[in-house]
Amino acid sequence: MNSQLQSLIELQSIDNEVADLERGKAAIPKQIESGKAGVNEKQSRLKEAEDNLLELQKKRKALEMDVASENDLIAKSKTKLSLVKTNKEYSAILAEVDTLKEKILALEDQELELMEVLEKKEKELPLIKASCKEQEERFNAYRLKKEAESERTEKELEVIRPKRFQVANSLEVKLLDHYTKVSKAREGLAVVGIHGNTCQGCLQQLLPQQVIDVKGGETINCCEQCSRVLYWKETNESAVPK
């Protein structure tokens, strides 16, 4: 096979590998961010539960203060009983006390209902905290794994890039320029095999003489439809571009 054609095939193989590695590495930050979304959701739920619990505790405290205030009013009203001079005044104070007692009962009922809700929320909170912590631990392990994967990928690229440079430099300038131009125009695929009489880049049929020339492997042949460099291969393994 023509040595320049061999270099082109090798360069395409290296570029395919580089592209795969770079795509994988580029996807890692988004993968980490996606994993973090689960943590954010758990943390948001935990904060909501804590805020809700705090609000319920404030309401209970307010109800306790209201009850205490009403009891103070009852105590003051009862003090007045010893000072009244008429039955009318006495009855009015008793009626006032009864009204305050009814109000206290209503407040205490509210407080009991609130305490039931509060107790339920207090029992739920440790479970929510544990779930949040578990999610954070899973994410941290996942993030470390992905960061290590990114580092390994970069090390692989550091090994491949000099090899790519060496192979590219072995090509004639005209061929390298053609390869670079077609690669940019064809989503990174500038060298493809043929299967039968078909270009595996654009799937267009080739002329019989060109198929013979490609099979011979002694000259550089390009597809007239997509301009990709062609070589003969027994099986269809080349990726088909969009």
Side-chain angles (χ1 to χ4, degrees):
M1 181 183 286
N2 184 299
S3 62
Q4 290 289 286
L5 181 58
Q6 285 181 327
S7 293
L8 284 167
I9 294 170
E10 186 177 2
L11 183 60
Q12 181 67 71
S13 176
I14 292 172
D15 281 350
N16 288 345
E17 186 176 359
V18 169
D20 287 342
L21 290 170
E22 288 180 342
R23 275 194 298 269
K25 185 182 176 185
I28 288 175
K30 291 183 179 179
Q31 291 169 347
I32 292 175
E33 192 63 29
S34 178
K36 191 177 180 181
V39 175
N40 292 339
E41 183 181 349
K42 293 285 186 179
Q43 290 175 338
S44 178
R45 185 184 172 195
L46 175 59
K47 186 178 186 305
E48 183 180 351
E50 289 174 335
D51 291 345
N52 190 19
L53 185 61
L54 182 61
E55 187 63 27
L56 290 172
Q57 290 169 339
K58 288 180 179 179
K59 287 181 179 179
R60 182 185 176 187
K61 185 67 175 177
L63 285 172
E64 288 175 345
M65 292 177 66
D66 288 343
V67 170
S69 177
E70 297 302 326
N71 278 320
D72 287 343
L73 291 175
I74 288 176
K76 290 177 181 178
S77 295
K78 287 181 177 180
T79 300
K80 295 178 184 178
L81 288 174
S82 60
L83 302 176
V84 299
K85 298 179 180 180
T86 65
N87 288 335
K88 185 177 180 180
E89 289 177 330
Y90 190 84
S91 297
I93 291 174
L94 289 178
E96 182 182 336
V97 169
D98 288 340
T99 300
L100 291 171
K101 286 180 178 180
E102 289 178 3
K103 190 174 181 180
I104 288 172
L105 286 174
L107 289 171
E108 288 176 340
D109 286 342
Q110 292 180 42
E111 188 177 357
L112 285 173
E113 292 176 3
L114 188 60
M115 285 175 64
E116 289 179 3
V117 176
L118 191 57
E119 184 179 359
K120 181 182 177 182
K121 296 297 182 182
E122 285 173 342
K123 288 180 180 178
E124 290 176 351
L125 188 61
L127 298 177
I128 296 174
K129 284 184 177 179
S131 178
C132 184
K133 183 179 179 182
E134 183 181 352
Q135 184 73 25
E136 288 173 350
E137 289 173 350
R138 281 202 301 266
F139 168 70
N140 287 333
Y142 176 76
R143 177 177 53 79
L144 290 173
K145 177 183 176 182
K146 285 296 176 181
E147 288 174 350
E149 181 182 332
S150 180
E151 290 178 5
R152 286 196 304 271
T153 301
E154 182 56 35
K155 287 180 180 178
E156 290 181 49
L157 286 168
E158 288 174 359
V159 172
I160 295 172
R161 283 166 181 151
K163 184 178 179 182
R164 199 262 180 205
F165 179 79
Q166 183 179 1
V167 173
N169 276 354
S170 71
L171 287 167
E172 296 173 3
V173 174
K174 185 178 180 180
L175 281 177
L176 181 58
D177 287 345
H178 178 78
Y179 174 91
T180 303
K181 180 180 178 180
V182 175
S183 181
K184 289 179 179 179
R186 303 296 182 184
E187 298 182 349
L189 195 60
V191 181
V192 297
I194 66 170
H195 185 63
N197 64 345
T198 303
C199 167
Q200 295 303 290
C202 63
L203 300 182
Q204 296 297 313
Q205 290 189 345
L206 307 172
L207 295 174
Q209 184 58 50
Q210 189 172 27
V211 173
I212 294 171
D213 292 341
V214 172
K215 284 183 177 181
E218 296 303 321
T219 57
I220 305 297
N221 287 270
C222 297
C223 176
E224 293 182 1
Q225 298 297 324
C226 65
S227 298
R228 292 181 173 96
V229 176
L230 304 171
Y231 68 96
W232 170 252
K233 60 188 305 182
E234 296 293 339
T235 57
N236 180 14
E237 297 175 351
S238 296
V240 178
K242 297 178 180 178

